[in-house]
Amino acid sequence: MLRFELPDPVLASGIKAGLDRVEDVLHTVVDSDVEFVRSTALHLVDAGGKRIRPLFTLLAAQFGDPKRGRT
């Protein structure tokens, strides 16, 4: 799990909620009926390194005006 502190509590709350969703998706997509596959996949997911790009995406999504259409 990534540990970081943001000075803006609203931003921090939004980023944390997004990373919680990422965590849920990661664990959902590696689920398997085969125990060996499930345990191996969960080991890889829990090893980390799969949350940096989602974090950058969530942070980048905070820039700009979401109500503005594409140009």
Side-chain angles (χ1 to χ4, degrees):
M1 169 71 54
L2 290 172
R3 304 266 184 231
F4 60 92
E5 188 174 319
L6 295 173
D8 182 344
V10 174
L11 175 62
S13 174
I15 298 300
K16 181 181 180 330
L19 287 175
D20 288 345
R21 288 193 304 268
V22 167
E23 196 69 29
D24 290 343
V25 169
L26 283 172
H27 281 87
T28 299
V29 298
V30 300
D31 195 20
S32 172
D33 293 334
V34 179
E35 180 56 34
F36 173 74
V37 172
R38 180 184 313 125
S39 64
T40 302
L42 285 174
H43 174 76
L44 293 171
V45 166
D46 292 339
K50 290 136 198 88
R51 292 149 188 94
I52 297 297
R53 285 188 207 137
L55 173 61
F56 286 146
T57 301
L58 290 165
L59 287 170
Q62 302 302 310
F63 293 95
D65 182 2
K67 297 176 184 153
R68 191 178 122 202
R70 289 192 212 187
T71 58

